[in-house]
Amino acid sequence: MSTSQSKRRISNGAAFMIAVFVPITIFLIVQLFSDPAVFLTTILKSLAMGSTYAIIALGFVLIFKATEVVNFSQGALAMIGALFISFLVADETIPIVPWWSEGNLVPIRNPIYDLGLPSWMAWGLSFIVALFFAALIGLFLERVAIRPMIGQPLFSVAVITLGLEISLRVLANDSAKLKLRNTNTPWSGKGFNIGDNFLYWSFFAAMIAAAISVVAVFLFYRSKLGIAMRAVARDQEAAMAQGIPIGRVFAIAWGAGAALAAVGGLFATEPPIKQTGAVDAETSLVAFRALPAVILGGLDSVQGAILGGLIVGSAEIFAGQYLSGYTSVLGAGYPLVIPYVVMIIGLIVKPYGLFGTEEIRRV
Amino acid sequence: MKKVTKGFAPLVALALVAAACGGDDAADESADAPAAAEEPADEPAAADEPADEPAAADEPADEPADEPAELLFDYGVSDDTIRIGLNADLSGPFASLVSQIVEGQEVYFEMVNEMGGVAGREVELVILDNAYDVPTHLANYEEFRLESEEGVVFFTQSTGSPHTAATVDALAEDNLLAIPLTWYSGWADPDLGANVVEINATYCVESMNGVQYLAETFDAETIAIVSLAGEYGQDGAQGAKLAAEALGLEIVYDGEGAIAGGDQTPIVTELVAAQPDIVWMTTTPTTFAEIFGGSVAQGLQAQWSGNSPTYSYLLLNTALADALSAYYTFSTYTALWGANDSEGMQLVISEMQKRRPDAIFSDNYIRGFLEAMTAHQILMAAADAGDITRAGILEAFQSAEIDFMGLAPNQTWAGDPNDYIVRETYLYDVDASIFTPDATVSDADGSTGSVLAAGPYAGSLAEGFTYEGPCFVAG
Amino acid sequence: MFRRPNLYTSYQAETQVLPTFTKKVIAIFAIVALFLMPFDVPIISGPTELPILRSIPLIGDGLPFFRFLGDAAWLRYMSDAMIVVVAALGLNILTGMAGQVSLGHAFFLGVGAYTGAFLGGHATDSVYGHGLPMWIWLPGAGVGAALVGIIVSPVAVRLRGLYLAIVTLGLVFLGIHMGNTDWGRKFAGDPSLGRSFPEMDLRVWKEETPLVSISEKGSWFGVEMSSNQKEFLFVAAVMLVFIFFAVNIKRTRTGRALQAIRDRDIAAEVMGVAEFKYKLVAFATSSFFAGVAGALYASHIGKMPAAQFNLILSIEFIAILLIGGAGTVAGTIMGSFFVILLPELVKDFSDWLSERAEGEGIVASVSEVILSGNQGDFGPISTATQTPNYPLNVFDLNLVLYGVLIIVFLIFEPLGLYGIWIKVRNYWKRWPFSY
């Protein structure tokens, strides 16, 4: 397909966007004036939802940019990360169950809490240690399952990550299943009222975490290692010829991806996604809910992940809030499929997502 | 597949069960009972012993004196064992619940085997995992239905409504009985569930009792009904609607079948807009937590309750604990751990403490005991009639009267559904402050945070209800 | 009779369905074995009775894998696997031949299942059904799914690689959601109990007694057979038809066009292969296979909810293709049997291990190290049903092993079972100079 065609497609796309967005904007303005408090809550909620999706999406993008693999095991990694946070931070224990201790299942206490640090500092330190553990899992998986696949068809690697997802999710469920494991953050369950509407601090925490993640990722891409990673993403062979250790770059991408998944997993246990503040079997599904965000934004774009997350998250929350009267037509549980509908519409307009790099096709 | 322990230890003097087993030398043996109680830790080890240990097979031989000389049996029974099947979800979404139920059954039958088994035969539990998957359930069923000693005579657990429904025709063909983990009112309908042994009240009756109890206790005028789509949710919702109509409650939000997985914002929005006095829910604990938490956060002040298993005491481990204590009434079908002082309750507690001292504290073992008691008593009745073929057991089931020893209302399936459907349920107040998340069954102050409010409770609506078929007819 | 390998004297000879004598023999042997499988053949049935095998200490009283013949639970798995072969062959046309990766195959199976139920099922108050005979509903299911495939393809054709994979993944979620809506329930029945699917019976029209009854037990050619055995034979026949169909597609103009598109789509277009048209054909054919397989699958299960056509099923198909070796019919067939029977093998293996643990000798002590009866025993895997913390419960272990085996397989044999087969073949071809 020639360039002129693709240009025309974008302008078509613009017309399409206008046709879609103008009525939505009008509808939202009407809602804003009819009940500002509800509207404001909904906006904050959708920003929080979008931020959580964006964090998860960033994990996908980070791994994809370095290794060209969509990591389908991101959901299991998110759950494992959330479990680490639950063990280290909420239960103040080390996540090793001493099964060798002949039935005496007393967990080992997390030593950070015994150092006499102020509680917020102990919390923060434990949180970072939990992320570090999650990253270690990522490193390990990359070394064991992904590294041997360098040079193999990309789809085989993607299926390997599906295999990882199956195995890891079972292991994670197994260690969480008899209890709902609290993540017990300082802001857990707390918040304030606007009118009748309760705003959780976790909404803002999610937004702040997303902002920090984005800044961290941008800074990371400016570091020497990040530049190496971008080079690898551009052309693996050329990067290797320049002396860039591809294996190490892969490992770091997976480690960072797993840590981001852990942060996403934490917010997947809190409002607006979950009210319980606890890790359960559904926590790992958050990755499949965030996948449309990644695709909509473009698989290899950091900006795309953020924007995609926000669009998909807002669409889900706003549809849930303002279309609830039409449940009988749309079907029970319709918000769950809204992200996928938005994604498909988006891809009709832009087949590589909003910011994705178009594949250059040579004859 | 795990085989349940052969009985080694001497009998424990449990008068009722001993009598039921036809044991005449209980007095002799009871002298040895303390010795058995002292070494409960050895019990699990027995499971690992080689199968050809002679003691087990020999012991019951001299036990039942009044056993008929000729006992008919066909598939799943041999001269020394009776095989019972559990097609259970042990790795799927309900694994944690079902594994505790299975644990309860194992403990019960270990006890029965120690007392000499059924008809001089040891009861062997054959457990297969259906992973909550219909094809797997059906393939497992093929292994259970075998018309040889390798088959089974009874299903004491058939997890999942779609799974059980998929085997209904085959059950009828094979003369097999199955206890499902569901309380759908349609099972009492002979067209659907002639071979399905439903124990306790149905969702529909439970809803009537629950709504009536809430309405009378909290002086309610308006109600919101929210439920999952499908047999469970809509059966419960229909019961609640019948009750609301009869009590003159205004239904301000009718969310029958409105719930599916994922984001619950639409339902929360509608509930908050409707501002009901009471909310009746029929859903799963995770979904309930979303809707309940979301609505309470938006300032809804209502009294909540729902069909079991809408609520799980594990939710008391979460951020919702305080709100649950304030607004939730837990409705269920049976007495919970320690809720009364009946013989059955003492049996559950002492047996669990003796045989599984490290098991996590939970109410689900009681359900396991109820299922096991049902199977045990039906098998005993069949053995008394001298016929433990599959057909004989089916016949015994049709006239059986099950005595749950105070764990739940006694049950029978004889005659017209209106004569036998159970109309009593149990209601509990929730108190997060007494909940003990890390307790084991051996802890004396263990609690799931439920305090008996009423039960066995049968409201006037449930008492007067005429069963004319399922409350909700599913596809 | 024996010719030199790889010597073909004409194009015709090279593109035959079964080009060599060995292949013909293997095919005939496989077909005979397939049709004998549901019957009790004393020599190979049950825990092995063969004296030679019995004398081997480990296998002794029964390797877990020697008992899949006769009317038993394994027959069901085999029927499942054969239905999956049909569906996987469809995906092979789309993904293996045309290079379009789809994670939405379960969706098309679902469309087929419910089209079949709409045409052949029995209507009740809550679901549609027209009670038509099987010769209408089975092909009809395929056509219905193919039409949906054609509707989807204009979007799909524009997308590439993983974008396409994830959009088709979206189809699976949308499909399950549609089964949940009020109008969807008219097709799919109750969301938790599901609906009844038509039975496999050959009728001329809607008469009471079927011409040939497959879903009831009875005698065929003087042999008394259960419904499972009959269904097995019927499904086997359908599978053979579709295998033949799939092998032939590869030899046609369409097959060559699809492979050209897979290898380099833009180059194919330059050479005059109409990309859009052939991708559409690929989608339609693939969905047709999926539709027929879906209707058969549903009928074989009898009653199930729409949520059964979920992502895990889709993943299973992709795993089949990659494990079998994408692009080849033989690989797809091997992959289907491997992936569907794998969990059963794993399960049987755990059973076997736990039985061994009770005996004596090396195997028993190894098993005892691996297994533990209860919490707190030494050994990472528990055979107890309830495991409060660790060790891991056996049932979960089966799932974990399933995932791990997929990974291990792809890492060590990226070309799949077909690759192993080629290696073995080449080894013997060059024997005794194979190095």
Side-chain angles (χ1 to χ4, degrees), chain C residues 194-368:
Chain C
R195 71 166 289 164
S196 301
F197 291 96
E199 286 175 334
M200 289 184 216
D201 282 323
L202 296 176
R203 284 185 170 83
V204 179
W205 194 241
K206 297 178 179 178
E207 70 268 17
E208 272 293 302
T209 41
L211 205 61
V212 182
S213 161
I214 301 177
S215 61
E216 297 287 326
K217 66 174 147 191
S219 84
W220 270 7
F221 311 112
V223 185
E224 206 47 49
M225 274 191 267
S226 74
S227 61
N228 269 337
Q229 285 167 315
K230 286 176 165 183
E231 284 186 6
F232 179 95
L233 293 176
F234 177 73
V235 169
V238 173
M239 177 185 78
L240 288 177
V241 170
F242 275 87
I243 288 176
F244 186 71
F245 190 18
V247 172
N248 264 316
I249 286 181
K250 225 180 165 175
R251 308 194 300 151
T252 60
R253 182 192 182 89
T254 315
R256 289 189 297 273
L258 292 179
Q259 287 170 54
I261 290 172
R262 171 192 66 193
D263 293 340
R264 177 67 75 205
D265 49 3
I266 205 159
E269 217 171 350
V270 169
M271 288 193 304
V273 175
E275 190 192 356
F276 182 83
K277 178 185 147 194
Y278 280 109
K279 277 188 178 174
L280 197 130
V281 169
F283 265 99
T285 322
S286 149
S287 313
F288 180 82
F289 276 60
V292 171
L296 272 181
Y297 184 67
S299 173
H300 186 236
I301 302 280
K303 190 167 191 183
M304 66 177 168
Q308 204 75 33
F309 296 99
N310 53 18
L311 183 61
I312 295 178
L313 193 63
S314 281
I315 292 176
E316 225 158 56
F317 286 115
I318 291 290
I320 284 169
L321 246 53
L322 287 172
I323 285 176
T328 62
V329 171
T332 311
I333 297 168
M334 288 190 273
S336 305
F337 282 102
F338 186 81
V339 168
I340 300 301
L341 303 183
L342 183 63
E344 290 318 301
L345 292 177
V346 170
K347 196 164 90 184
D348 275 12
F349 180 70
S350 331
D351 285 352
W352 181 78
L353 206 60
S354 64
E355 276 166 27
R356 286 300 88 85
E358 290 171 2
E360 284 187 11
I362 297 177
V363 191
S365 36
V366 169
S367 315
E368 263 172 27

Side-chain angles (χ1 to χ4, degrees), chain B residues 260-401:
Chain B
D263 189 34
Q264 303 301 342
T265 316
I267 292 170
V268 172
T269 311
E270 294 290 309
L271 272 180
V272 172
Q275 290 290 332
D277 292 339
I278 51 180
V279 183
W280 183 263
M281 303 218 26
T282 316
T283 177
T284 60
T286 39
T287 312
F288 160 70
E290 290 316 291
I291 296 171
F292 177 76
S295 308
V296 171
Q298 296 202 17
L300 180 65
Q301 303 230 336
Q303 286 296 327
W304 296 63
S305 186
N307 288 97
S308 215
T310 295
Y311 165 84
S312 159
Y313 62 84
L314 293 171
L315 292 174
L316 294 180
N317 221 7
T318 69
L320 298 176
D322 294 339
L324 284 168
S325 300
Y327 299 122
Y328 196 75
T329 306
F330 174 27
S331 159
T332 187
Y333 314 98
T334 66
L336 299 181
W337 190 282
N340 61 28
D341 223 8
S342 61
E343 266 169 310
M345 190 59 71
Q346 287 170 5
L347 182 69
V348 175
I349 294 176
S350 64
E351 289 298 320
M352 285 306 299
Q353 288 178 343
K354 180 179 146 208
R355 292 169 203 274
R356 298 285 190 280
D358 294 330
I360 287 180
F361 188 87
S362 161
D363 295 321
N364 299 330
Y365 306 116
I366 291 174
R367 171 73 194 181
F369 265 66
L370 293 179
E371 291 174 347
M373 279 170 157
T374 309
H376 181 214
Q377 292 180 25
I378 290 175
L379 283 174
M380 293 301 298
D384 284 346
D387 184 359
I388 49 172
T389 61
R390 286 177 180 174
I393 292 169
L394 187 63
E395 205 169 299
F397 156 68
Q398 277 148 1
S399 60
E401 281 180 36

Side-chain angles (χ1 to χ4, degrees), chain A residues 250-275:
Chain A
F250 273 31
I252 287 167
W254 268 75
L260 276 173
V263 179
L266 171 66
F267 288 104
T269 65
E270 302 209 311
I273 296 187
K274 280 262 161 230
Q275 302 289 334

